[in-house]
Amino acid sequence: MSTPDRLIEATRELLWERGYVGTSPKAIQQHAGAGQGSMYHHFSGKPDLALAAIRRTAEEMREMTGRLFDAPGSAYERIAGYLLRERDVLRGCPVGRLTMDPEVIESEELRAPVDETIAWLRGRLAAIVQEGLDRGEFTPGLVPGDIAATIVATVQGGYVLARASRTTDAFDAGVRGLLALLAPRTATA
């Protein structure tokens, strides 16, 4: 792995673990096994390196999630695939956690990939819900954008509750509850 890639990967890991404020250039260098000169040769400073790391994390999340959304199956099955996918719940979302970091939120540049990723996620989910409505899978009258926002809020809120309680129980319960509410309509006899 090249030095810039090692620096980006180290920054990604530290941002997820410690947040922007808790990630120092020295910690990045140590984690990457790179010297100060190497870091500043490839990046203008911590904000530049953090932006590269945030962008890579956001791109990776969109790629992985996009594969789940593009998988065969009903709208419900694809949403369930996203909600039930394997994830490190107690670590939280590597993108969503950045919204709790005041320096990321205050920086339009650092916040942009976070905003774009969340907007992309909501848009893709809304489109899948609309497909489900068009196919008669879901209860008529559901508002796709509202359901998409609910799905994202359930996942992100579930991460917060899981981290606070140090157990995945609240996350799992939120996912089960949401899936029960979205369960496809069944014909009544």
Side-chain angles (χ1 to χ4, degrees):
M1 189 182 296
S2 70
T3 300
D5 282 334
R6 285 194 335 264
L7 288 163
I8 290 169
E9 290 304 313
T11 303
R12 288 177 65 198
E13 185 66 28
L14 291 168
L15 286 173
W16 194 7
E17 182 181 306
R18 303 177 183 180
Y20 184 85
V21 174
T23 299
S24 69
K26 184 174 182 168
I28 294 168
Q29 293 160 23
Q30 288 175 339
H31 200 74
Q36 182 176 4
S38 293
M39 182 174 153
Y40 290 102
H41 172 75
H42 297 288
F43 301 95
S44 62
K46 178 181 166 181
D48 185 39
L49 180 52
L51 180 59
I54 293 168
R55 282 184 178 148
R56 185 173 290 176
T57 298
E59 288 168 11
E60 186 179 278
M61 181 179 161
R62 286 192 305 267
E63 267 182 41
M64 185 271 308
T65 304
R67 285 192 300 272
L68 293 170
F69 291 158
D70 294 337
S74 68
Y76 178 84
E77 289 167 341
R78 289 181 287 149
I79 291 169
Y82 166 69
L83 290 170
L84 296 170
R85 76 169 176 79
E86 188 174 325
R87 55 183 93 213
D88 193 348
V89 173
L90 295 179
R91 286 188 76 192
C93 175
V95 174
R97 283 195 62 194
L98 294 169
T99 64
M100 296 181 206
D101 201 311
E103 290 194 34
V104 171
I105 294 305
E106 291 301 316
S107 167
E108 285 186 36
E109 191 173 36
L110 293 175
R111 189 180 66 245
V114 174
D115 289 343
E116 291 163 8
T117 300
I118 293 170
W120 174 88
L121 181 59
R122 288 178 65 178
R124 288 296 310 267
L125 285 164
I128 293 169
V129 171
Q130 185 61 59
E131 286 176 33
L133 285 166
D134 294 344
R135 293 180 191 157
E137 289 180 49
F138 296 132
T139 304
L142 290 181
V143 178
D146 292 352
I147 299 304
T150 301
I151 294 167
V152 173
T154 298
V155 170
Q156 294 302 319
Y159 281 132
V160 171
L161 295 173
R163 288 177 54 79
S165 66
R166 297 183 129 338
T167 176
T168 63
D169 293 348
F171 183 95
D172 297 340
V175 166
R176 282 192 311 273
L178 182 56
L179 288 173
L181 291 172
L182 287 176
R185 304 184 305 147
T186 56
T188 56

